[in-house]
Each structure stands twice: as C-alpha cells, then as structure tokens.
Amino acid sequence: MSVLFRVRECHVYRVPPRKSNAGYRASEWGDTSKPLWSGRLCVMELEDRCEIRLEDGSTGELFAACPYDISGKSVEAVLDSSRYFVLRVESEDEDGNKRHAYIGVGFIERSESFDFTVALQDWTRRQKSSQVASREDDQAAQPSPYILAGARRDFSLQDGETMRIQIPGKGAGASFPKAQDKPATGFVLPPPPPGRRPA
C-alpha cells in the first residue's frame, strides 16, 4: 500500500441530482462556504487497485471511500470549476450489501486539484501499461501455431559424430550442366504454320 497523493484539508458537499447528461455544476450545490464535512483526502494504491479516502484529519477515522479503476468513472470533474469533483463513494451495510452515493469534493487550492488529477492519471497510465505487458507475455508464452505438436526430437550432433555433405559438381572432372539454348528474344517462338501432310 502506498500513498499517491494527500491533502490535509478538503471539503465535502451534498450533490443534488444531475439536471442533465452534460455534467455536474458546483454552483448548484448551494453555499460552498458551508460544507457538509471537512477533512483529509488520500489517494491510496492497494496492490492492483486504487482508492480515494476521506478521513478525519486528527483521528484518521474513515468518512467515505471511493474505489477508483482505469475506467475513471467514479471521479467526475464539474463543468464550472477546476477545484471541484464528484466522487462515487461506496459502503457496505450490516448484511454486506454494497451501497453507493455521489458526493461533491472541493479543494482549497487549484494546485491541489491539479495534483489530485495527475495522481489518478499516472496510476491509470501505469495500470494500462502493465496490462499491455501482461497480454504480450501471455502471447509470447503460447506455442506458435506453425510448430507441430508432439514429442520434440534432438537433431544436434553428438560428441564424435560427423556429417558429410556432397555438393554436386564439386568433385574432380565434374562439370555444371549447361543451360538450354533459349531464343534471344526472351520469349517462346510460336509453332510453325500447318503445312501439307505427306502423302
């Protein structure tokens, strides 16, 4: 487990239902100076997955967790500001059923929101690269379709064995076969015109 990004303070807002498919707007969240919750945000890499955690700044108690994958669908930037995002957070109830909700997250500084975005993009890029490398390794490990299946035979020379190769025309008095005479024009002559048959 490693920390890819951490900011000491960010703000959480209640997000009203989206009015259109175009996206979310922070201006529709009400007074942004009165957040629902404030605390620490961490982007954690956990083996082959990533998680955005909202924690209490002093106790470390988890407020909400947002699983993040290479699709990036769980984090959406708002349309009217570079400092606000909508996260799809998940939790489990007493029966173990997963529930999700959408919350707004705002950063105090623009540089923090930029670093947050870069951390997620870097993690996504590394995951995609490792997936491509793993697919290439799998393909390389598979046998070629042009190699016949069955027991492999060893055709290498053993100690003390020799190989004798006879090349035609290399012996004493040998001569190479002459090429047949061909027309100088480079193409085959047509057959002669039909004549009278002998009586």
Side-chain angles (χ1 to χ4, degrees), residues 155-166:
F155 292 104
S156 60
L157 292 176
Q158 305 299 322
D159 290 339
E161 284 187 327
T162 58
M163 181 182 289
R164 186 175 179 189
I165 301 174
Q166 291 185 353

Side-chain angles (χ1 to χ4, degrees), residues 10-22:
C10 70
H11 303 305
V12 170
Y13 303 91
R14 186 174 281 109
V15 176
R18 184 159 39 182
K19 293 182 179 179
S20 69
N21 291 332

Side-chain angles (χ1 to χ4, degrees), residues 41-127:
L41 182 144
C42 297
V43 178
M44 311 290 292
E45 183 174 15
L46 311 164
E47 295 180 0
D48 60 345
R49 62 191 180 89
C50 184
E51 190 172 74
I52 302 161
R53 294 183 177 179
L54 298 168
E55 305 169 337
D56 185 281
S58 54
T59 66
E61 182 182 0
L62 183 66
F63 172 75
C66 169
Y68 185 82
D69 59 23
I70 59 173
S71 71
K73 292 180 179 178
S74 58
V75 176
E76 186 175 344
V78 301
L79 301 174
D80 56 349
S81 175
S82 62
R83 293 189 298 120
Y84 295 91
F85 299 84
V86 174
L87 307 185
R88 185 183 188 270
V89 296
E90 289 186 0
S91 63
E92 286 188 9
D93 60 15
E94 296 174 353
D95 299 328
N97 299 319
K98 286 189 176 181
R99 304 176 65 181
H100 70 271
Y102 292 91
I103 60 172
V105 171
F107 293 96
I108 297 170
E109 301 291 338
R110 281 195 191 349
S111 60
E112 294 170 344
S113 66
F114 175 78
D115 292 342
F116 170 69
T117 304
V118 168
L120 295 178
Q121 288 174 346
D122 286 347
W123 180 85
T124 302
R125 191 178 302 113
R126 283 188 285 108
Q127 290 299 309

